[in-house]
Amino acid sequence: MRSVTPLSAVLICAAAATIDAGCHAPARGGEYATHTAASPPRAAVESCFLLFELGVGEVRRNPSEACRTPLTPASTFKVPHALAALDAGVVSGPQEQFAYDGTTPGPPSARRDHTLASALRHSVVWYFQHVAEGLGPEREQAYLRRFEYGNRDSSSGLTTFWIGGSLLLTPEEQQAFWVKLYENRLPIAASAVETVKGLLVQPAGVVVNAAGEQRFDEPWPDGAVVSAKTGSATDRSGRGVRWLAGHVVRGRRSLVFVSCVVGPPDLAANAAIDLAARSLRDARVL
């Protein structure tokens, strides 16, 4: 165990009416940090859901501006981060453990020692901030280029650039990354890819995030396997951003999905999870 020092496609798109919302500035603690209110902008709720069947391509498309809007990836970036950490040897494997410093804020699930496996499952921000320190700015930038990930901009801060910071990607770019992951086309060690894929598999009927198990269109069809990663943050403009990106295997079908909802900072925490559940059910995937 390492001891660490403290840190100080079906495409369904919808737009709702404009909502008054407070503007929140992102804090170092990450996507579950407390924010301080400032002047209230007007934020519209927009959503985007994409479904891409491997070996087939995009199944349907109903364009929306939200699907082409650059957004903070929040904790969906833990997936490329885990891949980079394994490929670079910053962590030796899924059971590499870092010690909780006892002071870093976060939900109860984060306030304990974590391995790569548990940190990815419970979306533990501080663990991946230590991964970022281990990689350093040059390797972070190099992996963003290798993955062709969004705008590839890590300039806003080594341990926060993916949480309401300079790194942005559109839902369409998120889909492209996950398609490359599940088509084994990322330019990194195959062992890193297979390890992360295994860690993303969710328990039957739920997806897990920092708040625990969230019901997800249960019961699933027999033999269905869902892999997924959540994300939640407030971006620089004060918008709340919610993600669920993932992969479903059902029989011979292999599909990548991306669900994203953007709105006021107090946007429902499970907005993207709920959108994905409805959309996968409507598409008869789950």
Side-chain angles (χ1 to χ4, degrees):
M1 180 177 70
R2 294 187 187 180
S3 177
V4 292
T5 56
L7 288 168
S8 324
V10 175
L11 177 54
I12 303 171
C13 302
T18 299
I19 298 174
D20 287 325
C23 179
H24 294 354
R28 177 177 173 76
E31 59 192 25
Y32 42 66
T34 300
H35 300 282
T36 301
S39 59
R42 297 183 66 83
V45 176
E46 298 181 328
S47 61
C48 172
F49 180 85
L50 300 98
L51 184 67
F52 185 101
E53 185 164 0
L54 304 188
V56 175
E58 187 173 85
V59 182
R60 298 179 202 163
R61 174 167 285 267
N62 179 18
S64 165
E65 189 63 29
C67 302
R68 298 183 295 274
T69 300
L71 302 165
T72 177
S75 273
T76 64
F77 186 68
K78 289 183 173 69
V79 176
H81 233 168
L83 291 165
L86 289 164
D87 185 66
V90 170
V91 297
S92 59
Q95 299 309 312
E96 177 86 15
Q97 188 174 77
F98 294 159
Y100 176 57
D101 62 29
T103 62
T104 301
S109 63
R111 297 197 295 268
R112 60 179 176 85
D113 298 348
H114 274 282
T115 64
L116 177 64
S118 66
L120 190 59
R121 172 60 55 91
H122 295 284
S123 206
V124 179
V125 173
W126 67 257
Y127 187 99
F128 285 90
Q129 290 179 315
H130 289 302
V131 165
E133 291 182 326
L135 285 167
E138 292 183 0
R139 286 195 293 187
E140 287 281 13
Q141 188 62 50
Y143 277 106
L144 288 173
R145 289 194 299 267
R146 288 168 70 179
F147 294 157
E148 298 179 316
Y149 194 87
N151 66 353
R152 310 173 200 183
D153 185 354
S154 59
S155 63
S156 64
L158 178 61
T159 60
T160 56
F161 65 85
W162 66 94
I163 313 166
S166 57
L167 182 62
L168 303 172
L169 84 166
T170 68
E172 291 175 344
E173 290 169 333
Q174 181 85 270
Q175 176 187 258
F177 170 79
W178 281 74
V179 169
K180 285 188 288 186
L181 172 62
Y182 280 90
E183 288 184 341
N184 298 315
R185 293 192 289 112
L186 291 175
I188 58 171
S191 59
V193 171
E194 291 309 308
T195 295
V196 171
K197 285 182 183 177
L199 298 180
L200 291 170
V201 175
Q202 300 295 302
V206 301
V207 295
V208 183
N209 62 13
E213 293 187 348
Q214 313 301 318
R215 294 178 62 183
F216 190 65
D217 199 35
E218 59 179 339
W220 296 347
D222 290 344
V225 178
V226 176
S227 304
K229 184 68 197 77
T230 59
S232 178
T234 302
D235 71 11
R236 287 171 158 180
S237 68
R239 299 175 300 179
V241 180
R242 310 288 183 258
W243 292 96
L244 183 70
H247 176 255
V248 179
V249 174
R250 183 179 178 189
R252 296 182 179 180
R253 301 184 74 190
S254 176
L255 306 103
V256 162
F257 67 90
V258 173
S259 176
C260 185
V261 183
V262 182
D266 61 353
L267 184 66
N270 285 358
I273 295 174
D274 294 342
L275 173 63
R278 292 193 306 270
S279 300
L280 290 170
R281 181 174 62 250
D282 292 346
R284 298 184 178 180
V285 173
L286 290 179

